Amino acid sequence: MFTRYSTLLLLFSLLLSSCGKKSGSKSEDPRPGTAVVAIMGDVDNFNPVVSAELIASQVNDAIFPQMFDVKFATGEGRLVYGPMLVKSWEFLNGQKDIRLDLRGDVYWEDGVRVTAEDIKFSYGLYGNPEVSSPRQNYVRNMIWTNGKFDVDKSIEIINDSTLIFHFDHTYPTQLFHLNLPPIPKHIFQNADLRTLDSNPANARPLSAGPFRLEKWIRQQEIILARNPKCNLPYPAKLQRVILRVISEPVTRLTELKKGTIDMMWPINPEDVQDLQLNYPSIRIETMPPRVYEYVGWANIDFKAWNESGRKVVKPHPLFGNKRVRQALTYGINRQEIIDGFLGGYGQLATSDISPIFRWAYNFDLKPYPYNPEKARNLLAMAGWTDTDGDGILDHNGRKFEFTLRYNAGNARRAYAANIIQDNLKKLGIIVKIEAVEGVVFYEKIARKEYDAFLAGFSVGLAIDPSDRWGSDIRNPMNHAGFMNTRVDELIRYGQNVKSYLEAAPFWKELQAILHEEQPFTFLYWIEEIVGINNRLQNTKVGILGAMNEMWNWTIGSPQGSVVY
Amino acid sequence: MLLYIVKRVIAAIPLIFGLLTITFFIIRMAPGDPASLYLQGNVDPGIADRVRRNFGLDDPLPVQYVKWLKAMATGEFGVSFSKHRPVVDILADAIPNTLILTTLALFLNIALGVLIGTLSAVTRGSWVDNITTVLALFVYSIPEFWLALMLILGVSLHLDLLPAAQMHSPNADQLPAFAYILDLAKHLVLPVFVLGFASAAATGRYMRGSLLDVIKQDYIRTARAKGLPEWKVVGKHAMRNAMIPVITIVGLSLPFLLGGAVVVEAVFDWPGMGNVLLEAIFSRDYPVVIALTAVSGFMVVLGNLLADILYAVVDPRIRLE
């Protein structure tokens, strides 16, 4: 009996003593040459053609050969392209064609050369409807025959290292659309296209980038190891970068504070002060605003539209009037939401073109101030007054009340919804708040079943207003059911010029229209907060993400695991 | 006995089948779109339709059901919508992780429960009994997620004794075997504690009540009268009979440990069935949800069966036929 107890005791004490070790040896780096990043969810696919999650494309960028060295020129506010796999390029035929000259010395991990064939093959997959690539849009301006992407007419191979892309017209973001990473043709050429997303080869990607996938323990971690053969641009400086899947926010933050992970995002603004005061080994960096939040208003009567089989288009009884929408924006104290929740990490929005795009952003537009008096006047002009003295605005016998919905579990939106409810109550508008489970919420928005909702949007790096504006109400992304023929024209003009600067006046006018019409009440731009342990250095947190240029990361002097 | 087990297993088949059919319809009729990931800016809206077609969701519900029945009959669980891999592979990854967690928790539950229940019963009415009673009630009332978060903050962050998340430390794959197991053990302590602790409080209460009933019996008086030491009276004669209700509880809590693991796995980011289920529900990954329901249903049946068999082991008067 005693021996059994003593064995147990011995095991227990062994466990405890080994627990203490970590904090005892502060000078010793617990994981030399390794950086650990916490990610919220697992990568869905290591095949860039079919991966749909944002995190997957960030990781795949470090594994697959990159066509261009893409940087964001903050001063100008636009993407600039340098040589990578593409050694040089030339615009031909009045910029409708682009010739790419590839480097001849880039190899996949298995020793096979990366050639023009890989690129043509991959673009064929990106554009093939059977594959259902989320990036099919990238080929939409190349050559199509009978409603199908024509890869042979779009891409002409001159030799192993030279190819010409043909477009049906010129536009400012042509190079952006040439930046999709190729996958190895010799691995996938016989793959069944309909099941490409579950092809077993996806889990063992062939690298030609600075990292290779060493190990993927699903739902747990992704171990990226330095690819010593890489010359695109060069092997990663770290031996390993481990991405740990930690979805619970409190747990993730605890791991950062403990020093078990070296980087995480997003950090809640309310946690920043604690980190700055009590954890000097952690630095705080931010990503410039690419995400905005808004209150979506039904510009047209969604109910009538849906019930008539998507035919009847008439103004929404509450939000169909521009003056009402303007009044709602005047009547919502957006700054109060920013001050209360985002602290210094938010700024008022005027439209959905981010201020990071300095060349296109309309600096003349001033955000609507919080002005309940003006709101009341505008509502009165639109016919909304309190005729029966019950404190609620009414018009033609209808009271001004509606339900504002947001996705459950989003603390920021819950906070904003409460302030909006409170603000509008002062105007005599009754707002009911309803939190809806996420998947249902987004589906109902896309189907135009919600008249008022709080949502957010992450804008792409190339300005493309056609994805959500324009008069096509059937587009599921046109959440407001907004229609404006001038906007249609502006989008067409902006997408048919040769250089980005020529598009600037069109995008500025587009913003002015959105500012005037207020199809949404644009609330604020959000800067995402990244926490980094100081042992991890040479990070380049920015518009291109927190893991941007991961191959340049290095490990500095190790820090103690816990600092109080 | 063997015949009995076979009979019970056969009887369970229609039960599980019915359960799966109900799940099949409920999840498909619930709002939410498995292709919602493809409904975002910059993605052609036609892609979502195509993805839905690939998932077989454009067929009418009865057709989907017949197709699903055929697949089930051949033991085919299908391919996960969101993870793009066979559901069987996903389960094969997650089940061992959950089992190691829940088996240890169940063990802790029984050991601790029987211990405090017995302690409480033999000292009935004393301050030891009162304190354990109050403590047990207190612990049983604590929500699991709260206890888990508090332990993460206290034991993991402030005392820095144990890790807060997942099964292994980063770079654990490079450790020698013994250190690797020790690393796993450290990661197990907190989740096992949370899972096992609260249920131990309940088990303890049952054990106490049951033992008190048994101690009043004549044969216990006889045992005492023939001069047996008290530990032998309680430990050998009383305990054996007092265990019967406890076994029922333990048998029934087998599936609950899998269910309860959803909360604990989510907080500790334990890569088990609970986390898989949570993610599958949120992404409307129908094949995964159905498969997990099948496993849970099977566990319920198994738990009940196990409890019945254990009765016979503990109490020779009970015979299974």
Side-chain angles (χ1 to χ4, degrees):
Chain A
M1 197 60 124
F2 265 116
T3 48
R4 214 181 294 165
Y5 279 137
S6 52
T7 321
L8 266 175
L9 246 155
L10 186 76
L11 266 174
F12 188 66
S13 53
L14 211 67
L15 195 73
L16 276 185
S17 65
S18 67
C19 294
K21 243 184 234 165
K22 197 168 42 182
S23 44
S25 53
K26 286 197 172 181
S27 56
E28 194 183 310
D29 192 332
R31 37 175 196 278
T34 305
V36 183
V37 179
I39 54 176
M40 279 188 281
D42 202 0
V43 162
D44 62 328
N45 217 316
F46 284 99
N47 180 338
V49 176
V50 282
S51 71
E53 304 270 12
L54 184 64
I55 187 73
S57 57
Q58 290 174 337
V59 175
N60 285 334
D61 278 356
I63 296 176
F64 287 87
Q66 295 303 298
M67 300 284 280
F68 299 96
D69 179 20
V70 180
K71 294 203 160 45
F72 194 86
T74 327
E76 295 167 76
R78 68 182 187 101
L79 292 173
V80 287
Y81 300 83
M84 192 67 107
L85 175 61
V86 177
K87 193 168 60 181
S88 63
W89 60 96
E90 190 182 357
F91 290 96
L92 311 166
N93 188 17
Q95 209 177 307
K96 264 171 87 172
D97 302 333
I98 304 177
R99 196 187 68 223
L100 305 180
D101 292 307
L102 308 181
R103 281 172 57 159
D105 58 347
V106 177
Y107 295 88
W108 299 104
E109 251 177 294
D110 60 358
V112 177
R113 222 188 96 195
V114 181
T115 66
E117 287 289 346
D118 290 317
I119 295 173
K120 181 173 176 181
F121 171 73
S122 306
Y123 265 84
L125 296 181
Y126 282 113
N128 191 324
E130 290 219 333
V131 174
S132 308
S133 169
R135 280 161 278 277
Q136 193 188 310
N137 258 359
Y138 279 62
V139 303
R140 70 172 190 260
N141 297 321
M142 294 178 193
I143 310 299
W144 288 56
T145 311
N146 300 328
K148 280 186 97 174
F149 171 58
D150 192 331
V151 67
D152 290 319
K153 283 188 182 159
S154 298
I155 301 169
E156 189 185 331
I157 293 186
I158 308 297
N159 58 45
D160 266 3
S161 305
T162 315
L163 69 171
I164 299 177
F165 275 82
H166 299 283
F167 292 84
D168 70 1
H169 68 277
T170 62
Y171 57 101
T173 52
Q174 278 165 293
L175 284 183
F176 185 78
H177 288 158
L178 294 188
N179 198 34
L180 291 175
I183 59 172
K185 180 180 178 180
H186 63 285
I187 300 291
F188 288 98
Q189 58 188 345
N190 296 321
D192 176 17
L193 296 187
R194 262 167 301 181
T195 57
L196 187 67
D197 58 1
S198 52
N199 193 307
N202 295 344
R204 305 181 299 271
L206 272 191
S207 164
F211 284 97
R212 58 188 184 82
L213 180 66
E214 183 180 321
K215 204 170 182 185
W216 181 20
I217 312 171
R218 290 170 211 254
Q219 299 305 108
Q220 296 185 56
E221 58 185 22
I222 294 155
I223 302 179
L224 299 175
R226 170 178 197 269
N227 176 10
K229 294 180 201 157
C230 171
N231 53 1
L232 209 60
Y234 36 76
K237 292 179 179 163
L238 289 182
Q239 290 301 321
R240 273 180 156 194
V241 170
I242 301 179
L243 309 174
R244 306 249 295 168
V245 182
I246 307 177
S247 44
E248 166 58 40
V250 176
T251 314
R252 205 162 51 224
L253 188 64
T254 302
E255 295 275 78
L256 179 72
K257 289 175 174 175
K258 277 168 68 83
T260 332
I261 58 171
D262 299 309
M263 178 188 269
M264 74 158 272
W265 75 92
I267 286 178
N268 277 332
E270 60 180 13
D271 293 323
V272 170
Q273 203 185 10
D274 172 41
L275 285 172
Q276 284 173 334
L277 285 177
N278 302 319
Y279 299 90
S281 60
I282 294 167
R283 67 176 182 274
I284 298 289
E285 296 190 7
T286 59
M287 295 190 234
R290 272 182 69 184
V291 177
Y292 71 94
E293 287 197 320
Y294 62 91
V295 187
W297 310 115
N299 287 226
I300 62 158
D301 191 337
F302 286 166
K303 201 162 170 246
W305 187 68
N306 275 320
E307 283 174 359
S308 65
R310 304 181 156 199
K311 285 190 185 79
V312 172
V313 176
K314 61 178 189 186
H316 188 272
L318 298 179
F319 313 116
N321 186 330
K322 174 175 90 181
R323 286 204 177 108
V324 172
R325 298 194 298 267
Q326 287 174 342
L328 290 165
T329 306
Y330 275 120
I332 295 172
N333 193 344
R334 298 178 291 165
Q335 193 61 47
E336 190 185 346
I337 307 172
I338 296 177
D339 293 344
F341 203 96
L342 292 167
Y345 301 97
Q347 54 176 299
L348 286 175
T350 52
S351 81
D352 71 344
I353 288 188
S354 167
I356 57 172
F357 302 112
R358 298 184 62 82
W359 60 275
Y361 186 73
N362 192 334
F363 286 95
D364 296 335
L365 301 175
K366 294 290 167 254
Y368 287 49
Y370 176 55
N371 189 340
E373 205 43 53
K374 188 143 191 178
R376 260 182 222 109
N377 291 339
L378 282 165
L379 285 164
M381 281 160 75
W384 291 95
T385 47
D386 180 13
T387 54
D388 53 6
D390 65 349
I392 304 168
L393 299 181
D394 53 81
H395 178 52
N396 291 341
R398 179 179 180 137
K399 295 210 178 298
F400 205 133
E401 52 189 354
F402 63 90
T403 305
L404 178 65
R405 293 178 172 92
Y406 68 93
N407 53 325
N410 188 319
R412 186 174 55 232
R413 290 181 196 161
Y415 184 88
N418 277 300
I419 289 188
I420 291 168
Q421 182 186 46
D422 193 48
N423 289 162
L424 296 185
K425 197 178 173 190
K426 289 176 190 154
L427 300 180
I429 296 172
I430 301 301
V431 181
K432 275 182 280 182
I433 298 176
E434 190 183 318
V436 185
E437 193 264 338
V439 177
V440 178
F441 176 74
Y442 291 109
E443 187 187 351
K444 300 252 182 186
I445 291 182
R447 289 193 181 163
K448 302 192 173 49
E449 291 182 22
Y450 290 160
D451 292 343
F453 53 90
L454 250 172
F457 196 75
S458 173
V459 298
L461 286 168
I463 294 179
D464 183 5
S466 68
D467 60 8
R468 53 184 350 195
W469 303 115
S471 297
D472 181 10
I473 310 179
R474 282 165 191 268
N475 176 0
M477 294 308 295
N478 185 352
H479 291 159
F482 177 65
M483 296 191 301
N484 186 304
T485 46
R486 179 62 185 160
V487 167
D488 295 342
E489 278 173 14
L490 289 170
I491 292 173
R492 210 164 48 244
Y493 296 157
Q495 289 182 336
N496 278 286
V497 291
K498 285 189 179 173
S499 84
Y500 72 97
L501 276 180
E502 289 174 54
F506 305 124
W507 299 154
K508 286 182 182 174
E509 190 184 336
L510 172 73
Q511 291 164 73
I513 293 175
L514 294 178
H515 187 65
E516 169 69 17
E517 292 285 335
Q518 293 289 306
F520 296 161
T521 289
F522 297 98
L523 295 171
Y524 35 75
W525 290 98
I526 298 166
E527 285 179 24
E528 254 187 313
I529 308 166
V530 186
I532 308 170
N533 192 309
N534 285 330
R535 71 185 283 275
L536 180 60
Q537 291 176 358
N538 291 317
T539 53
K540 203 174 172 192
V541 175
I543 291 160
L544 300 175
M547 300 196 294
N548 181 28
E549 293 187 18
M550 202 154 51
W551 49 89
N552 285 328
W553 287 1
T554 54
I555 297 295
S557 63
Q559 300 285 330
S561 54
V562 180
V563 185
Y564 291 107
Chain B
M1 177 88 126
L2 192 69
L3 188 70
Y4 174 81
I5 295 174
V6 172
K7 267 191 203 162
R8 283 283 299 266
V9 169
I10 291 173
I13 291 173
L15 190 77
I16 291 180
F17 171 76
L19 172 78
L20 294 187
T21 298
I22 293 172
T23 314
F24 177 91
F25 283 105
I26 287 183
I27 181 137
R28 273 176 173 73
M29 287 190 284
D33 181 358
S36 57
L37 185 60
Y38 296 87
L39 283 175
Q40 42 176 311
N42 306 319
V43 177
D44 190 285
I47 298 293
D49 292 335
R50 190 165 277 278
V51 167
R52 250 174 249 129
R53 195 151 62 241
N54 286 352
F55 291 162
L57 297 173
D58 55 343
D59 290 330
L61 208 51
V63 177
Q64 288 185 39
Y65 182 64
V66 172
K67 281 187 181 169
W68 174 77
L69 277 184
K70 272 187 202 156
M72 276 314 220
T74 55
E76 181 66 54
F77 275 115
V79 175
S80 154
F81 292 170
S82 61
K83 300 286 170 209
H84 315 294
R85 58 194 292 240
V87 174
V88 177
D89 292 358
I90 294 178
L91 294 190
D93 278 355
I95 287 180
N97 298 345
T98 283
L99 277 185
I100 187 172
L101 180 68
T102 51
T103 316
L104 287 174
L106 188 64
F107 183 74
L108 179 72
N109 170 3
I110 301 169
L112 207 62
V114 168
L115 191 75
I116 55 177
T118 311
L119 188 72
S120 200
V122 296
T123 61
R124 183 163 68 119
S126 74
W127 59 272
V128 179
D129 181 28
N130 289 339
I131 288 178
T132 41
T133 302
V134 171
L135 267 183
L137 192 68
F138 177 71
V139 168
Y140 190 60
S141 317
I142 298 177
E144 270 180 357
F145 76 93
W146 187 82
L147 180 64
L149 286 178
M150 287 306 119
L151 286 173
I152 286 178
L153 291 182
V155 180
S156 182
L157 179 61
H158 290 293
L159 299 176
D160 197 23
L161 285 176
L162 292 164
Q166 288 210 346
M167 287 179 76
H168 302 287
S169 303
N171 278 347
D173 57 326
Q174 295 173 335
L175 292 172
F178 179 72
Y180 182 82
I181 292 169
L182 197 68
D183 182 61
L184 173 64
K186 279 198 269 178
H187 284 79
L188 272 165
V189 175
L190 290 185
V192 165
F193 181 78
V194 174
L195 263 185
F197 199 53
S199 39
T203 309
R205 297 309 294 163
Y206 284 108
M207 185 66 204
R208 176 181 181 275
S210 164
L211 196 56
L212 285 178
D213 281 347
V214 173
I215 280 175
K216 287 183 204 141
Q217 305 279 325
D218 289 343
Y219 71 91
I220 296 294
R221 195 179 308 125
T222 311
R224 285 201 178 116
K226 73 177 179 185
L228 281 180
E230 184 65 15
W231 67 268
K232 228 172 181 175
V233 173
V234 175
K236 202 170 169 195
H237 295 266
M239 285 271 267
R240 190 158 171 160
N241 280 324
M243 285 297 275
I244 290 181
V246 175
I247 286 168
T248 315
I249 302 297
V250 168
L252 292 179
S253 67
L254 210 63
F256 281 116
L257 273 180
L258 266 184
V262 173
V263 175
V264 172
E265 285 183 7
V267 177
F268 290 103
D269 270 287
W270 193 265
M273 302 273 279
N275 255 335
V276 172
L277 178 66
L278 214 60
E279 221 180 300
I281 289 175
F282 283 132
S283 57
R284 301 295 189 273
D285 199 334
Y286 302 158
V288 176
V289 174
I290 296 261
L292 288 173
T293 315
V295 172
S296 297
F298 179 72
M299 292 298 285
V300 173
V301 173
L302 190 72
N304 278 314
L305 184 60
L306 215 61
D308 286 347
I309 294 169
L310 283 178
Y311 289 152
V313 174
V314 182
D315 187 345
R317 288 171 305 177
I318 299 173
R319 306 195 60 176
L320 303 175
E321 269 158 26

